[in-house]
C-alpha cells in the first residue's frame, strides 16, 4: 500500500506546474503603461499662408509629483535645430500631444532640454500611469536589452512594438550603442534591461544599417530627471 501511495505522490509531483508560477508574464516585467506616443505640430504663419509641420516620436513616464507627470523623450523631438533655424524669422507656435497606452491624448509642455545629451522633459497634468523603474547600475557590454517604441508612428491602443537587442559598448563620442532596430519615430524610446528597468534612451540609428542604434546613457538621464522634477515642484 505504501509503495502505491509513493508512486502516486511522485506522479502528482511531476505533473504539478510548479515553476510556472514563479515566471512573471511580459506585461508585468515590461511596464507598458509607462510608454507614450508623442505628436508635435509646428504651425507657421508667413504673413499670407498658414503651414503645419508634423513630427512623431516616442517617450516614457519617469516621475510624478501630485497631479503632474514628467515624460522623457529625445531633445531633437522638442527642438530640432535644422527646422528651428529655418523658421526663426517666421511666426510659429508649437503643440505637443502625448498619447498614453489607451491612446488617450494629453496636452504637454516642455520643461527643459539638454542638447548635449539629446534629452527633453515634458510636463503633463492628470495622467494616472506609473513611471518606469530606473536602474541603479550601469550597463555591461553584451547585456541583453529591450525597447518599447513607436517606429514609423506604429502605435495603437494597447499595442506598439517591443524590440530586442544587446548593448555593444560606448562610442568615442560618449553615446551608448545597441543592436536594437530603429527608424524615424523611435527617437526618445526607453532602453530596458531584463528586469524592465530603464538603462538608457534611444535617440538615433545608423542610416547605413538600421539594426544598430545609439542612445543616451543612464548616468546622464538620472540627474536630468531630478532637475526636471525640481522645475515643476
Amino acid at each position: 500500500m505504501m509503495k502505491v501511495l509513493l508512486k502516486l505522490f511522485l506522479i502528482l509531483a511531476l505533473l504539478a506546474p510548479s515553476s510556472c508560477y514563479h515566471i512573471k508574464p511580459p506585461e508585468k516585467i515590461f511596464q507598458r503603461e509607462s510608454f507614450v506616443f508623442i505628436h508635435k505640430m509646428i504651425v507657421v504663419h508667413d504673413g499670407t499662408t498658414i503651414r503645419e509641420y508634423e513630427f512623431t516620436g516616442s517617450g516614457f513616464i519617469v516621475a510624478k509629483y501630485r497631479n503632474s507627470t514628467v515624460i522623457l523623450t529625445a531633445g531633437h523631438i522638442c527642438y530640432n535645430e535644422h527646422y528651428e533655424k529655418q523658421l526663426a524669422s517666421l511666426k510659429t507656435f508649437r503643440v505637443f500631444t502625448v498619447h498614453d497606452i489607451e491612446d488617450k491624448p494629453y496636452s504637454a509642455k516642455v520643461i527643459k532640454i539638454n542638447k548635449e545629451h539629446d534629452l527633453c522633459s515634458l510636463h503633463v497634468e492628470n495622467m494616472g500611469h506609473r513611471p518606469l523603474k530606473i536602474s541603479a547600475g550601469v550597463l555591461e557590454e553584451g547585456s541583453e536589452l529591450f525597447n518599447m517604441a513607436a517606429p514609423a508612428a506604429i502605435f495603437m491602443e494597447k499595442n506598439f512594438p517591443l524590440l530586442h537587442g544587446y548593448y555593444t559598448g560606448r562610442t568615442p563620442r560618449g553615446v551608448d550603442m545597441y543592436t536594437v532596430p530603429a527608424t524615424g519615430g523611435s527617437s526618445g524610446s526607453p532602453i530596458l534591461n531584463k528586469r524592465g528597468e530603464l538603462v538608457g534612451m534611444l535617440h538615433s540609428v545608423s542610416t547605413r544599417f538600421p539594426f544598430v542604434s545609439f542612445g543616451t546613457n543612464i548616468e546622464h538621464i538620472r540627474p536630468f530627471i531630478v532637475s526636471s522634477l525640481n522645475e515643476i515642484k
Side-chain angles (χ1 to χ4, degrees):
M1 183 66 180
M2 289 297 293
K3 288 183 178 180
V4 174
L5 290 174
L6 181 59
K7 287 181 180 179
L8 181 61
F9 174 79
L10 289 172
I11 291 169
L12 291 172
L14 289 171
L15 293 175
S18 57
S19 62
C20 293
Y21 291 115
H22 301 290
I23 301 174
K24 289 185 178 181
E27 64 269 21
K28 298 297 182 183
I29 298 173
F30 303 109
Q31 202 168 294
R32 296 173 72 246
E33 68 174 272
S34 303
F35 179 79
V36 299
F37 174 67
I38 297 174
H39 177 265
K40 174 187 176 182
M41 180 181 289
I42 301 178
V43 181
V44 181
H45 190 279
D46 62 5
T48 56
T49 59
I50 296 176
R51 289 173 292 164
E52 295 179 349
Y53 298 88
E54 295 187 60
F55 306 86
T56 63
S58 301
F60 50 100
I61 301 170
V62 291
K64 297 186 78 70
Y65 178 72
R66 296 180 179 173
N67 293 328
S68 297
T69 296
V70 178
I71 290 168
L72 192 66
T73 187
H76 67 268
I77 297 292
C78 299
Y79 183 89
N80 187 304
E81 197 162 356
H82 173 71
Y83 286 100
E84 297 293 343
K85 285 182 178 179
Q86 291 184 12
L87 302 174
S89 61
L90 303 173
K91 292 181 179 179
T92 62
F93 68 92
R94 293 150 185 77
V95 179
F96 288 90
T97 306
V98 168
H99 295 254
D100 68 5
I101 191 170
E102 307 286 345
D103 202 14
K104 181 180 178 181
Y106 295 81
S107 177
K109 294 182 179 180
V110 174
I111 301 172
K112 62 186 308 181
I113 299 170
N114 183 314
K115 294 181 184 178
E116 180 183 0
H117 301 301
D118 205 356
L119 294 168
C120 174
S121 53
L122 297 171
H123 178 215
V124 174
E125 291 284 352
N126 300 313
M127 180 182 278
H129 304 298
R130 296 175 296 165
L132 276 175
K133 295 178 182 178
I134 300 170
S135 173
V138 294
L139 275 176
E140 295 182 2
E141 291 180 12
S143 296
E144 188 176 17
L145 302 174
F146 297 86
N147 173 236
M148 298 188 292
I154 300 172
F155 178 85
M156 292 155 275
E157 182 180 351
K158 297 182 180 178
N159 192 3
F160 48 84
L162 176 61
L163 303 162
H164 174 260
Y166 294 89
Y167 175 61
T168 62
R170 195 157 292 176
T171 72
R173 291 174 50 232
V175 299
D176 287 350
M177 190 164 80
Y178 322 114
T179 58
V180 174
T183 190
S186 297
S187 293
S189 58
I191 297 293
L192 311 171
N193 61 22
K194 290 189 290 186
R195 294 182 295 278
E197 299 169 332
L198 180 70
V199 292
M201 185 204 71
L202 192 152
H203 59 52
S204 55
V205 63
S206 170
T207 55
R208 293 179 295 173
F209 190 70
F211 298 93
V212 172
S213 51
F214 305 93
T216 307
N217 62 67
I218 195 67
E219 292 95 326
H220 297 308
I221 292 173
R222 290 193 201 103
F224 186 77
I225 293 172
V226 173
S227 60
S228 297
L229 188 59
N230 289 335
E231 290 283 336
I232 64 170
K233 285 185 176 180

